């Protein structure tokens, strides 16, 4: 295995020729990627085996993070970084005539997630491995990830994301570890040793085949596992099916659809049978695999919770609770009480959303048919739970109905998750507070000790070191490298806030990143972007509560003001958007079209084009985010207060020295605690005010329209005017604001937002002041590193300590 650059070059050339079957002068960049990938994968393999051995010998509790989504992005650059060979490989490849950054572009993003929840899971895996915790991911290997977005005539068009087309060097198919998952069928019972034993007969069996992806820790030789399950037909094609080969093909197709695609909707819950199948598939396969690993320890199953922690990422994998009950009772012979005790000590749950329309409830009938034995268990759980509630709250039938797991023919997954977990956490202080005081109040009263907060965090390895190597170097020069292993050490930078030399370097790093993004925009849009302008960025899923519309209306207003007063003294701005809308979310798609129309108008109007530019960058993804985030001056985190559970983009921008314009929502609240008014531009309604409006009414969007001429003009322009090219109009947006009284208080916050934006324009010109603020942001961002978050999960929820592996055995 190579240890220096020269050895790398020799080994790499051999591999390249051997892999591609071509001569050096014939190989393509694709070949280079494949050869490098396989070489690095092999290197990881050694540590992977050693890590697994260490975990088995050590007997430390293993954490399994069950999630329907892992938004991993690309792995090559990150693996090189964490292995500590990034520079060596970059230089070696360079000497052979290839640019590593170009080679990295050959890797398809693993886009197996919708947004925040899936990316959080990916950041957590990186922190778990990097801190040396025995924590693994358990998910689904969707054949198609989140759709690829094209913008055609300003509209979003969705294309399938066949990310596996060119193969995936990082995964290892483990055919020998496949397990069986059973759907449908009927439950039969018989007596055995004096107790009833249940079995599902005549079900449809699906093989779950694991594909393992190594998760490399940062310079610590640890390699954990992300196990992704793929559905395959269990049947032997040569047998059964009444001799009809077409019957077999139909069956095969139906089975394989289980892991075919990721559901692209993260805002509106829909009770689709296939989605339920996916959720059970993950839970059943994951649990079987967890139990197999546990069995290697040769311990009785009542010790399960000592050795295993199962964490469920939102309610999507909640079926682990009844499924583990089923296995313990039907297969391991436990009685109800003992099984329940094992389950609740094993499982913990994170809630990621307050939006009621995203809460999962499954029709009881659907679960009864698809998963008959699981249904029986949920029914029994509900019966016992309601009975215990009545005992605790005698006569309070209303409370019992509110809290029941099954109500009105619906199974409430959040209730099941809370009842079956020993820990329930929200993802930012404000969010956890809302859960306790409002959304889950009844449950908090019942189980106060179970509720806790774990403010989200992001991996500084991908989002600072890998995405922004110039900033990494500058930090290293200025404060050394302790922050790489202890990100809170970034606060050492505070000592240099006023240092003119450091300030100049910070500006130069930002400048280079802006030039790089400008080059990308030039390539994609053919447009020239001025790197002296403020890069003002809003990238995230498109959703009404995130209020991209507020940003858009404000740009329309700026346009109007320049047109009214061409001498207006505005600091030039480049507004950058990136967002995918759920394919069926009409309003979100209209907002994308509106932004593109605005771009068309302001970018081409000779009076405005030097002051205002707008770009909607298509197909926002992890790898695109890595280009955008380091180049941002301003980060837009402008959700209606109380709606964004945490946000994680906010943290990425902060860490890269962008200043936030934001509401007091989600983790912005904690950012503001750290940054104060000098470090952040706060605006808008506070959560108490929003709640008061919802409770007592008194908000009139029409009133604002009538009294604010600027707002009126902008809204009228949704129907007719410079942004309605080719007779297009935005009636539905207009009516959502006026006829439906503006559910998200866009108009209410408009003036305050515009004012904060004006202040940004002024402050940006004061380069010294602006740079000091940027430095403050970077210095305070360590609190939002995933390592801090994972440390808290490990000690407070999972009760685990780091395990030393390889050459770095920690003593305990
Ligand atoms: C919800 C649903 C509901 C319908 C079925 C399909 C589906 C798929 C995904 C989701 C996820 C929505 C929840 C989510 O992504 N929440 C985000 O979690 C982030 C990480 O904690 C947090 O920073 C964001 O504020 C929060 O919106």
């Amino acid at each position: 295995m190579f240890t220096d650059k020269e050895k790398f070059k020799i080994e790499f050339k051999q591999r390249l020729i051997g892999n591609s079957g071509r001569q050096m002068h014939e190989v393509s960049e694709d070949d280079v990627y494949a050869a490098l990938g396989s070489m690095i994968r092999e290197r990881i393999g050694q540590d992977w085996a050693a890590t697994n051995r260490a975990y088995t010998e050590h007997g430390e509790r293993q954490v399994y993070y069950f999630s329907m989504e892992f938004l991993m992005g690309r792995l090559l650059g990150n693996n090189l970084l964490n292995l500590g060979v990034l520079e060596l490989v970059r230089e070696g490849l360079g000497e052979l005539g290839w640019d590593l950054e170009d080679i990295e572009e050959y890797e398809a993003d693993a886009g197996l997630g919708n947004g925040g929840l899936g990316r959080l899971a990916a950041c957590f895996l990186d922190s778990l491995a990097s801190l040396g915790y025995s924590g693994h991911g358990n998910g689904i290997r969707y054949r198609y990830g989140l759709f690829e977005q094209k913008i055609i005539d300003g509209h979003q068009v969705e294309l399938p994301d066949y990310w596996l087309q060119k193969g995936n060097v990082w995964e290892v198919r483990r055919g020998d570890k496949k397990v069986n998952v059973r759907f449908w069928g009927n439950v039969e019972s018989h007596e055995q040793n004096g107790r009833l034993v249940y079995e599902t007969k005549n079900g449809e069996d699906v093989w779950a085949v694991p594909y393992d992806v190594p998760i490399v820790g940062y310079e610590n030789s640890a390699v954990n596992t992300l196990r992704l399950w793929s559905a395959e037909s269990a049947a032997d094609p040569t047998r059964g099916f009444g001799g009809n080969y077409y019957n077999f093909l139909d069956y095969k197709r139906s089975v394989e659809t289980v892991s075919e695609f990721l559901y692209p909707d993260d805002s509106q819950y829909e009770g689709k049978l296939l989605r339920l199948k996916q959720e059970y598939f993950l839970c059943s396969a994951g649990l079987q695999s967890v139990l197999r690993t546990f069995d290697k320890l040769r311990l009785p199953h009542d010790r399960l919770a000592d050795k295993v922690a199962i964490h469920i990422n939102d309610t999507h994998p909640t079926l682990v609770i009844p499924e583990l009950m089923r296995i313990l009772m039907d297969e391991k012979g436990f009685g109800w009480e003992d099984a329940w005790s094992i389950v609740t000590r094993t499982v913990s749950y994170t809630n990621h959303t307050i939006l009621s329309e995203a809460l999962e409830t499954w029709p009881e009938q659907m679960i009864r048919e698809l998963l008959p034995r699981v249904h029986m268990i949920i029914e029994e759980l509900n019966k016992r739970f309601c009975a215990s509630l009545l005992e605790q709250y005698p006569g309070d039938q209303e409370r019992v109905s509110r809290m029941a797991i099954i109500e009105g023919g619906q199974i409430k997954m959040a209730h099941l998750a809370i009842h079956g977990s020993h820990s329930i956490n929200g993802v930012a202080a404000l969010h956890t507070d809302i859960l306790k005081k409002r959304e889950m109040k009844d449950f908090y009263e019942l189980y106060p000790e179970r509720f806790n907060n774990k403010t989200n965090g992001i991996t500084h390895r991908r989002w600072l070191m890998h995405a922004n190597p110039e900033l990494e170097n500058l930090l290293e020069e200025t404060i050394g490298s302790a922050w790489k292993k202890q990100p809170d050490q970034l606060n050492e930078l505070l000592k240099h806030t006023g240092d003119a030399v450091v300030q100049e370097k910070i500006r130069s790093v930002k400048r280079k990143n802006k030039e790089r993004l400008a080059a990308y925009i030039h390539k994609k849009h053919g447009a020239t972007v001025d790197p002296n302008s403020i890069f003002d960025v809003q990238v995230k899923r498109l959703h009404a509560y995130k209020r991209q519309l507020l940003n858009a209306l404000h740009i329309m207003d700026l346009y109007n003001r320049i047109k009214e007063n061409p001498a207006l003294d505005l600091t030039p701005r480049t507004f950058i958007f990136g967002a995918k809308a759920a394919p069926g979310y009409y309003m979100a798609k209209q907002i994308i079209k509106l932004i593109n129309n605005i771009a068309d108008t302001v970018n081409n109007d000779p009076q405005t084009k030097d002051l205002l530019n707008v770009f909607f960058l298509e197909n926002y993804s992890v790898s695109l985010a890595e280009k955008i985030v380091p180049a941002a001056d301003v980060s837009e985190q402008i959700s209606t207060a109380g709606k964004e559970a945490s946000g994680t983009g906010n943290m990425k921008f902060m860490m890269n020295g962008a200043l936030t314009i934001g509401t007091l929502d989600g983790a912005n609240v904690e950012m503001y605690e750290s940054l104060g008014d000098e470090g952040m531009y706060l605006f808008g309604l506070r959560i108490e005010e929003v709640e008061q409006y919802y409770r007592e009414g008194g908000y009139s969007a029409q009133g604002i329209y009538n009294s604010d001429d600027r707002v009126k003009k902008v809204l009228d322009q949704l129907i007719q005017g410079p942004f309605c090219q080719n007779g297009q109009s935005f009636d539905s947006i207009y009516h959502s604001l006026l006829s439906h009284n503006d559910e998200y208080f866009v108009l209410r916050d408009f003036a305050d937002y515009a004012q904060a934006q004006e202040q940004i324009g002024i402050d940006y010109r004061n380069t010294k002041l602006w740079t000091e603020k940027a430095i403050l942001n970077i210095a305070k961002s360590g609190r939002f590193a995933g390592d801090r978050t994972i440390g808290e999960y490990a000690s407070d929820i999972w009760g685990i300590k780091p395990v030393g592996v390889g050459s770095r055995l920690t003593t305990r």
Side-chain angles (χ1 to χ4, degrees):
M1 226 29 101
F2 61 91
T3 45
D4 61 37
K5 191 171 66 189
E6 292 312 316
K7 293 209 180 82
F8 164 75
K9 281 159 63 184
I10 294 166
E11 210 181 300
F12 177 71
K13 278 194 279 187
Q14 279 171 358
R15 172 77 59 134
L16 184 52
I17 294 165
N19 248 21
S20 67
R22 289 173 164 166
Q23 293 177 292
M24 277 303 271
H25 68 273
E26 295 174 323
V27 297
S28 66
E29 287 185 331
D30 245 336
D31 296 328
V32 173
Y33 171 77
L36 182 59
S38 75
M39 202 166 140
I40 298 304
R41 232 290 286 128
E42 246 177 64
R43 187 189 176 100
I44 294 168
Q46 312 282 331
D47 285 344
W48 204 0
T51 303
N52 283 327
R53 204 177 322 119
Y55 287 169
T56 311
E57 283 166 10
H58 208 273
E60 176 72 35
R61 195 181 199 198
Q62 307 279 308
V63 176
Y64 298 93
Y65 197 82
F66 277 50
S67 177
M68 287 289 282
E69 308 193 3
F70 287 92
L71 191 41
M72 302 297 286
R74 292 180 177 139
L75 292 180
L76 176 61
N78 235 248
N79 285 342
L80 293 172
L81 173 76
N82 285 8
L83 289 169
V85 297
L86 182 64
E87 278 322 303
L88 180 163
V89 168
R90 190 197 307 283
E91 285 170 21
L93 277 186
E95 287 169 23
L96 295 171
W98 289 291
D99 182 340
L100 177 60
E101 262 185 51
D102 296 342
I103 301 302
E104 284 181 53
E105 295 283 325
Y106 276 80
E107 182 169 342
D109 270 45
L112 309 184
N114 272 287
L117 166 141
R119 182 55 230 175
L120 186 77
C123 282
F124 279 4
L125 292 183
D126 185 71
S127 285
L128 279 165
S130 295
L131 296 172
Y133 288 114
S134 50
H136 312 280
N138 189 54
I140 294 180
R141 180 180 178 270
Y142 302 105
R143 186 191 294 272
Y144 298 93
L146 184 62
F147 65 85
E148 184 187 329
Q149 179 193 56
K150 286 256 178 262
I151 300 297
I152 296 177
D153 290 337
H155 291 283
Q156 166 174 299
V157 174
E158 302 94 22
L159 303 178
D161 164 47
Y162 189 27
W163 68 293
L164 293 165
Q165 191 151 38
K166 292 194 282 186
N168 177 6
V169 281
W170 306 114
E171 67 184 13
V172 184
R173 182 181 195 273
R174 305 237 187 253
D176 57 328
K177 298 212 169 144
K178 65 177 190 244
V179 297
N180 196 27
V181 176
R182 184 162 293 179
F183 298 106
W184 311 107
N186 52 287
V187 179
E188 290 180 6
S189 60
H190 60 271
E191 223 184 88
Q192 201 174 33
N193 306 329
R195 41 190 304 270
L196 272 183
V197 177
Y198 296 87
E199 226 181 313
T200 306
K201 293 282 172 66
N202 311 310
E204 179 186 272
D205 285 347
V206 174
W207 282 123
V209 181
Y211 285 70
D212 286 353
V213 180
I215 305 296
V216 180
Y218 178 64
E219 295 190 350
N220 67 352
S221 309
V223 181
N224 290 341
T225 302
L226 168 59
R227 175 157 284 184
L228 297 176
W229 298 96
S230 179
E232 292 185 10
S233 45
D236 177 344
T238 57
R239 263 179 274 156
F241 302 99
N244 185 337
Y245 189 64
Y246 289 104
N247 288 352
F248 165 70
L249 290 183
D250 282 347
Y251 159 77
K252 178 174 151 66
R253 206 165 297 134
S254 128
V255 161
E256 288 171 359
T257 53
V258 172
S259 58
E260 194 79 354
F261 74 97
L262 165 81
Y263 273 87
D265 200 322
D266 70 340
S267 45
Q268 197 89 37
Y269 160 79
E270 259 189 288
K272 288 265 167 59
L273 177 67
L274 182 55
R275 167 80 184 184
L276 180 64
K277 274 183 132 177
Q278 290 185 334
E279 293 184 357
Y280 182 68
F281 177 74
L282 168 73
C283 294
S284 168
L287 276 176
Q288 292 181 63
S289 152
V290 166
L291 288 170
R292 261 194 202 167
T293 307
F294 173 78
D295 285 342
K296 287 194 200 147
L297 299 173
R298 303 190 174 285
L299 292 170
H301 283 92
D302 59 7
R303 297 283 311 280
L304 186 73
D306 300 341
K307 298 295 174 188
V308 169
I310 292 176
H311 198 87
I312 58 177
N313 199 22
D314 218 300
T315 55
H316 317 150
T318 299
L319 291 172
V320 292
I321 291 167
E323 176 66 3
L324 184 54
M325 283 297 278
R326 186 190 69 76
I327 296 172
L328 291 171
M329 294 191 301
D330 296 356
E331 295 176 13
K332 311 292 179 194
F334 283 91
W336 183 277
E337 300 295 344
D338 291 337
W340 187 241
S341 158
I342 297 171
V343 169
T344 51
R345 282 181 290 129
T346 303
V347 179
S348 49
Y349 153 59
T350 299
N351 171 284
H352 294 268
T353 185
I354 326 156
L355 303 181
S356 52
E357 60 272 28
L359 289 183
E360 281 190 302
T361 59
W362 289 102
E364 187 179 8
Q365 186 59 19
M366 197 185 269
I367 296 201
R368 184 186 286 125
E369 284 170 20
L370 183 71
L371 310 166
R373 178 61 181 140
V374 165
H375 172 259
M376 285 172 69
I377 292 171
I378 298 176
E379 214 175 20
E380 179 66 21
L381 263 171
N382 182 52
K383 216 170 76 192
R384 289 173 183 244
F385 180 50
C386 290
S388 76
L389 284 175
L390 257 188
E391 235 169 72
Q392 178 130 358
Y393 306 104
D396 197 349
Q397 189 54 50
E398 211 173 289
R399 182 187 290 256
V400 176
S401 314
R402 274 202 314 267
M403 297 179 73
I405 295 166
I406 309 177
E407 232 278 306
Q410 298 285 317
I411 299 185
K412 299 182 174 174
M413 302 308 265
H415 295 192
L416 180 53
I418 298 170
H419 182 49
S421 302
H422 62 85
S423 167
I424 298 114
N425 73 282
V427 290
L430 179 72
H431 170 56
T432 303
D433 233 49
I434 295 172
L435 294 180
K436 287 188 196 172
K437 292 203 184 117
R438 213 178 66 204
E439 234 54 36
M440 298 178 170
K441 183 165 179 283
D442 291 330
F443 284 93
Y444 178 56
E445 280 168 18
L446 181 65
Y447 303 129
E449 70 293 343
R450 294 189 187 185
F451 283 77
N452 62 92
N453 174 247
K454 295 286 166 282
T455 299
N456 283 165
I458 53 153
T459 168
H460 62 294
R461 287 166 290 274
R462 180 178 292 264
W463 296 107
L464 199 170
M465 295 163 72
H466 184 252
N468 198 347
E470 265 110 3
L471 181 57
E472 179 197 12
N473 290 339
L474 161 55
L475 289 168
E476 201 164 337
E477 266 171 46
T478 314
I479 57 169
S481 50
W483 60 273
K484 294 185 180 180
K485 293 232 166 183
Q486 290 162 311
D488 52 330
Q489 294 287 313
L490 282 168
N491 66 16
E492 285 293 301
L493 195 62
L494 282 179
K495 296 179 187 151
H496 305 269
T497 317
D499 181 334
V501 178
V502 173
Q503 287 179 8
E504 188 47 48
K505 286 180 182 166
I506 288 275
R507 280 194 290 273
S508 141
V509 166
K510 185 59 82 183
R511 169 94 194 179
K512 279 188 200 136
N513 290 325
K514 289 169 77 173
E515 282 166 0
R516 200 170 302 135
L517 183 60
Y520 176 85
I521 295 175
H522 185 76
K523 198 171 84 192
K524 290 275 167 181
H525 290 252
T528 309
V529 181
D530 177 9
N532 292 313
S533 64
I534 301 174
F535 279 22
D536 182 324
V537 181
Q538 188 171 20
V539 287
K540 49 183 79 250
R541 281 297 285 254
L542 214 141
H543 200 293
Y545 83 80
K546 294 178 189 282
R547 299 200 295 189
Q548 282 94 349
L549 183 57
L550 175 58
N551 190 347
L553 296 179
H554 173 247
I555 301 170
M556 290 164 67
D557 180 51
L558 287 178
Y559 174 84
N560 292 337
R561 283 162 57 188
I562 300 170
K563 296 298 280 184
E564 286 159 20
N565 172 15
L568 191 71
D569 185 24
L570 265 189
T571 313
R573 288 227 197 193
T574 302
F575 289 95
I576 293 164
F577 291 87
K580 286 181 180 176
Y585 193 166
Y586 177 74
M587 189 64 74
K589 290 179 142 180
Q590 285 293 103
I591 293 171
I592 291 179
K593 175 61 177 158
L594 173 64
I595 293 168
N596 282 309
N597 280 13
I598 296 171
D600 227 31
T601 301
V602 307
N603 297 357
N604 294 308
D605 186 320
Q607 269 182 313
T608 55
K609 70 185 182 40
D610 294 330
L611 286 177
L612 277 188
N613 270 272
V614 179
F615 296 99
F616 188 100
L617 302 184
E618 72 182 3
N619 203 35
Y620 180 59
S621 57
V622 174
S623 55
L624 183 53
E626 288 177 50
K627 296 183 176 68
I628 295 172
V629 170
D633 295 308
V634 173
S635 157
E636 301 265 355
Q637 307 301 336
I638 59 178
S639 52
T640 311
K643 298 287 182 189
E644 188 71 272
S646 161
T648 43
N650 46 2
M651 303 171 183
K652 294 164 196 166
F653 285 104
M654 178 187 185
M655 199 174 265
N656 282 276
L659 306 195
T660 301
I661 178 166
T663 46
L664 274 180
D665 198 16
N668 294 356
V669 174
E670 288 153 87
M671 284 167 54
Y672 180 69
E673 269 172 26
S674 296
L675 293 166
D677 286 318
E678 316 97 272
M680 209 169 144
Y681 295 88
L682 224 52
F683 76 96
L685 290 176
R686 308 298 191 247
I687 184 170
E688 300 78 23
E689 298 169 295
V690 171
E691 281 177 343
Q692 189 176 343
Y693 275 134
Y694 282 138
R695 217 175 34 240
E696 296 166 17
Y699 174 54
S700 165
Q702 187 72 46
I704 297 180
Y705 173 89
N706 294 338
S707 63
D708 184 330
D709 291 345
R710 312 217 60 84
V711 167
K712 179 174 188 308
K713 179 158 183 176
V714 162
L715 289 206
D716 290 346
Q717 286 172 334
L718 292 171
I719 306 298
Q720 199 181 43
F723 309 105
C724 295
Q725 293 92 333
N726 309 319
Q728 160 114 32
S729 69
F730 296 94
D731 304 35
S732 54
I733 300 179
Y734 179 89
H735 289 301
S736 79
L737 293 174
L738 291 179
S739 321
H740 300 285
N741 201 28
D742 181 18
E743 193 182 342
Y744 297 100
F745 304 102
V746 172
L747 304 188
R748 179 66 178 76
D749 279 348
F750 184 88
D752 203 11
Y753 176 69
Q755 167 111 50
Q757 283 289 26
E758 202 168 324
Q759 192 60 46
I760 284 176
I762 295 167
D763 288 357
Y764 186 77
R765 296 180 181 196
N766 184 343
T767 52
K768 183 168 176 307
L769 176 79
W770 187 268
T771 315
E772 281 172 8
K773 290 175 189 287
I775 292 175
L776 179 66
N777 271 267
I778 299 166
K780 296 280 190 173
S781 68
R783 176 174 176 188
F784 302 101
D787 290 5
R788 188 267 310 149
T789 313
I790 283 299
E792 293 173 6
Y793 274 87
S795 63
D796 305 350
I797 300 179
W798 302 324
I800 56 167
K801 295 199 186 72
V803 180
V805 293
S807 52
R808 287 158 220 258
L809 265 169
T810 51
T811 44
R812 302 205 311 143

